[in-house]
């Protein structure tokens, strides 16, 4: 930065404030004082304007409201946005961090999770094959259009290509149920109407899945010491559905209202959530299925390609 006298710096700051704390307006106004070619440029004005007073004001503002937008903060402090950004980055060494989304947990959820984990440990101590005797189950949605994460998508060009990804208001999707255990994957089962369109999972449809798919898949299995896990969704835990499951898995149902309670809001404890769904969604969209049937075929193909450990 050029060397200016104290009087010149005072004039720059004075002009900066007189012109609404705008670097550009101050630059124009300083022409008569410095001359056309000797006046400080916009970048220099911004550096001179970063006074101790402004820096302290920005520091206090950030401490009080750290999530304010830079535009709103600049308006509140009567600073130009460029000056504010310079102070935040160069003087206060602040950085913008994105909010991370996490599963919400209630006050008693930690205790219930710990209680379930301790039960698991106790069962695994008694039977070292216990982990292989649980059928985990869950549903997931697969949208035909897939998902575009615009935060992670960057296109490097000399000019903005103005790429737009059109997304239908009501995207087509399939709702898939799977069971996962040490012996492999049971399913998939699609919740759909007679026209092949995805439908909401309710108690009646969940019972149909159990009787039409799950029982037939278990016919050749020895389920005398097998456990069945499901989450606490209302369509899973109605009395009729629980009675059907208890009849097959006598005393070995892990669920809300089950023989062993599944801790609420614990989707991240199931292998379907921390493996299967993520794995499938990485695979099925590679070839960009164009129809719902193609999407279903891709799901089936990649499930069939998963080998039991």
């Amino acid at each position: 930065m050029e060397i200016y006298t104290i009087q010149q710096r005072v004039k720059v700051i004075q002009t900066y404030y007189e012109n609404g704390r705008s670097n550009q307006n101050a630059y124009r106004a300083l022409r008569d004082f410095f001359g056309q070619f000797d006046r400080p440029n916009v970048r220099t004005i911004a550096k001179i304007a970063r006074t101790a007073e402004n820096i302290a004001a920005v520091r206090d503002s950030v401490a009080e409201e750290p999530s304010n937008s830079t535009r709103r903060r600049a308006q509140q402090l009567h600073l130009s946005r460029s000056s504010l950004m310079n102070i935040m980055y160069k003087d206060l060494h602040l950085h913008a961090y994105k909010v991370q989304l996490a599963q919400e947990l209630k006050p008693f959820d930690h205790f219930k999770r710990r209680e379930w984990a301790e039960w698991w440990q106790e069962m695994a101590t008694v039977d070292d094959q216990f982990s292989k005797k649980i059928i985990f189950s869950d549903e997931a949605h697969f949208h035909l259009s897939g998902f575009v994460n615009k935060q992670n998508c960057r296109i490097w060009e000399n000019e903005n290509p103005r790429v737009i990804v059109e997304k239908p208001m009501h995207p087509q999707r399939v709702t898939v149920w799977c069971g996962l255990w040490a012996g492999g994957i049971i399913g998939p089962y699609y919740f759909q109407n007679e026209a092949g369109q995805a439908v909401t999972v309710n108690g009646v449809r969940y019972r149909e899945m159990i009787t039409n798919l799950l029982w037939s898949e278990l016919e050749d299995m020895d389920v005398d010491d097998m456990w069945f896990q499901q989450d606490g969704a209302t369509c899973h835990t109605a009395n009729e559905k629980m009675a059907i499951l208890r009849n097959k898995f006598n005393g070995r149902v892990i669920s809300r209202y089950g023989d062993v309670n599944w801790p609420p809001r614990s989707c991240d404890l199931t292998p379907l959530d921390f493996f299967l769904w993520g794995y499938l969604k990485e695979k099925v969209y590679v070839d960009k299925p164009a129809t719902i049937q193609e999407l279903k075929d891709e799901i089936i193909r990649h499930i069939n390609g998963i080998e039991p450990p």
Side-chain angles (χ1 to χ4, degrees), residues 134-194:
I134 298 181
I135 300 172
F136 289 92
S137 69
D138 197 12
E139 300 101 19
H141 300 304
F142 286 74
H143 291 84
L144 182 61
S145 58
F147 176 72
V148 176
N149 186 343
K150 65 178 184 179
Q151 296 296 333
N152 294 334
C153 182
R154 296 291 184 269
I155 300 174
W156 294 89
E157 296 282 357
N158 292 326
E159 296 181 2
N160 190 344
R162 305 294 180 187
V163 173
I164 297 175
V165 178
E166 294 184 350
K167 182 178 179 181
M169 183 174 293
H170 303 290
Q172 292 180 284
R173 70 180 188 187
V174 295
T175 301
V176 187
W177 178 95
C178 281
L180 177 61
W181 69 296
I185 298 174
I186 300 173
Y189 179 89
Y190 298 108
F191 288 95
Q192 58 191 18
N193 58 21
E194 294 180 356

Side-chain angles (χ1 to χ4, degrees), residues 52 62 91-92 98 109 126 148 161 170 192 209 212 241 246 269 278:
V62 172
D91 296 308
L92 300 179
K98 293 182 180 178
D109 288 350
V126 175
V148 176
H170 303 290
Q192 58 191 18
M209 182 280 297
N212 294 339
K241 264 67 70 182
R246 285 195 180 97
L269 293 182

Side-chain angles (χ1 to χ4, degrees), residues 67-304:
S67 61
N68 250 2
S69 69
T70 54
R71 194 174 302 279
R72 180 174 179 80
R73 197 184 306 281
Q75 292 173 346
Q76 291 174 339
L77 297 175
H78 305 290
L79 290 170
S80 68
R81 191 162 178 263
S82 60
S83 294
L84 173 70
M85 296 296 289
N86 282 329
I87 291 173
M88 294 178 72
Y89 281 117
K90 298 178 181 179
D91 296 308
L92 300 179
H93 306 292
L94 300 174
H95 301 279
Y97 296 97
K98 293 182 180 178
V99 172
Q100 292 185 339
L101 300 181
Q103 172 69 47
E104 178 190 18
L105 295 177
K106 302 297 183 181
F108 290 102
D109 288 350
H110 295 282
F111 168 77
K112 293 177 180 178
R113 282 181 162 215
R114 183 180 182 87
E115 185 178 53
W116 189 83
E118 289 175 346
W119 169 81
W120 174 286
Q121 283 187 318
E122 182 180 348
M123 295 295 291
T125 301
V126 175
D127 181 359
D128 60 1
Q129 298 296 308
F130 176 68
S131 62
K132 299 180 179 180
K133 299 177 180 178
I134 298 181
I135 300 172
F136 289 92
S137 69
D138 197 12
E139 300 101 19
H141 300 304
F142 286 74
H143 291 84
L144 182 61
S145 58
F147 176 72
V148 176
N149 186 343
K150 65 178 184 179
Q151 296 296 333
N152 294 334
C153 182
R154 296 291 184 269
I155 300 174
W156 294 89
E157 296 282 357
N158 292 326
E159 296 181 2
N160 190 344
R162 305 294 180 187
V163 173
I164 297 175
V165 178
E166 294 184 350
K167 182 178 179 181
M169 183 174 293
H170 303 290
Q172 292 180 284
R173 70 180 188 187
V174 295
T175 301
V176 187
W177 178 95
C178 281
L180 177 61
W181 69 296
I185 298 174
I186 300 173
Y189 179 89
Y190 298 108
F191 288 95
Q192 58 191 18
N193 58 21
E194 294 180 356
Q197 299 171 327
V199 292
T200 303
V201 183
N202 59 25
V204 173
R205 292 165 181 153
Y206 190 69
R207 182 189 61 198
E208 291 175 353
M209 182 280 297
I210 292 174
T211 55
N212 294 339
L213 172 74
L214 185 58
W215 285 175
S216 62
E217 292 284 340
L218 298 180
E219 284 181 357
D220 298 328
M221 291 173 53
D222 181 8
V223 297
D224 288 345
D225 57 352
M226 293 291 292
W227 291 72
F228 181 80
Q229 178 274 339
Q230 62 181 7
D231 63 27
T234 303
C235 62
H236 297 167
T237 57
N239 290 337
E240 181 185 3
K241 264 67 70 182
M242 295 301 295
I244 293 174
L245 291 172
R246 285 195 180 97
N247 186 53
K248 177 71 74 171
F249 300 95
N250 185 21
R252 301 182 306 280
V253 177
I254 304 171
S255 170
R256 183 164 63 106
Y257 309 136
D259 303 293
V260 174
N261 280 323
W262 178 249
R265 290 167 289 279
S266 295
C267 57
D268 56 329
L269 293 182
T270 71
L272 292 99
D273 277 298
F274 62 72
F275 163 67
L276 183 61
W277 301 138
Y279 172 82
L280 288 177
K281 289 181 179 181
E282 281 185 356
K283 298 292 185 180
V284 299
Y285 295 114
V286 170
D287 293 330
K288 299 180 179 180
T291 66
I292 287 295
Q293 187 57 51
E294 289 180 9
L295 178 59
K296 293 177 183 177
D297 292 342
E298 284 295 293
I299 293 172
I300 294 172
R301 181 168 73 88
H302 289 292
I303 284 179
N304 291 338

